[in-house]
Amino acid sequence: MMTANAGSLIETMDPVHPGLRFRHYHGPQDLPGMAAANQAMRDADGILDTTSADDMAIQYANLTNSDLDRDILIVERIDEPAGIGGYARVEWRDLTDGTRAFGSIILMNPQVRTAELARAMVAWSEAQIAHNARSLPDSDRVAVMQAYTIGEDPTLPDALRAAGWTLQGRGYEMLREPLEDLPAMLVPEGLEFRPLVDDERVRRAIFEAMADAFRDHRSEPEASEEDWRHFRDDPKYDPGLWIIAFDGDEMAGGAIGLIDEDLIRHHGVQRGYVDGVFTRRAWRRRGLARAAVARVLVGLRERGMTSAFL
């Protein structure tokens, strides 16, 4: 199914469903439908986290190595005006372990999700990844393809395995409910939590400290300027809920608290979010992360949250 110009493949692909067709991304007007399909999949598959068109607008304004005109496949529902049943997007990132990962993100609304559709979207992703890989200069990095499945998706994992993909790891959402009787965690000796000034300099320092800490994480991409702009510009971030530990002038680690009003409205619960927990290598195994998470949970409780997840 690979062609010299994989972008043209969309026009020749059959979505194996008479009520669907494949097309290119048409711009920000597609984001509400894409977000709705994404959220329907999360709800069906038991995911606590949510998404919205506003979230995706910030993300899509700051993509790394992903071309909006070429690297997105839209599954359009013919029977519903401007209806989007799902989408796939590919990108590539150099990882901190020295490899180069060509990533594929595939999401389908459960109303149209089938094994046949999943296989077709995997095939497009592989063809587009191959096209993009061939267009890059030669590199000494070992290249891999990488994809994620969400929750209890009954179709995509089988489609990936059938195409020769293998499971490499799992991630989990963790829920803390209620936010009563939180443990009191002492700040590790020699460290202190300080109030933060919310300005671009401080945000950049926190971003770089997180990037340094996560260099040891599985499949972690090298931090890009697009990643920084996404972190800087997200209006949901509130440094009043961030707990950062300092060792003198050095940021040792911390935890990022977040309250997402869209998530609260969607689930109908006062639920906060621990968006990131990080400890830089020199300060690990001293209890810093436990202390930071405990303080973030207290902060969320003080803002009226009754539960939290990470």
Side-chain angles (χ1 to χ4, degrees), residues 254-285:
I256 302 297
L258 188 150
I259 294 176
D260 184 343
E261 296 296 338
D262 291 337
L263 183 150
I264 290 171
R265 281 191 294 271
H266 184 79
H267 288 302
V269 293
Q270 295 294 110
R271 180 168 294 154
Y273 186 11
V274 184
D275 189 46
V277 182
F278 67 102
T279 307
R280 296 173 68 194
R281 186 177 296 176
W283 292 276
R284 291 175 185 164
R285 300 297 181 185

Side-chain angles (χ1 to χ4, degrees), residues 77-90:
R77 303 173 69 169
I78 300 171
D79 59 348
E80 181 181 334
I84 292 178
Y87 60 93
R89 181 175 63 81
V90 299

Side-chain angles (χ1 to χ4, degrees), residues 201-222:
R201 180 186 61 83
V202 171
R203 286 202 181 199
R204 183 75 193 214
I206 294 171
F207 172 81
E208 291 179 352
M210 292 176 70
D212 180 54
F214 278 104
R215 290 192 65 82
D216 299 324
H217 195 271
R218 182 186 70 228
S219 299
E220 183 68 15
E222 297 280 2

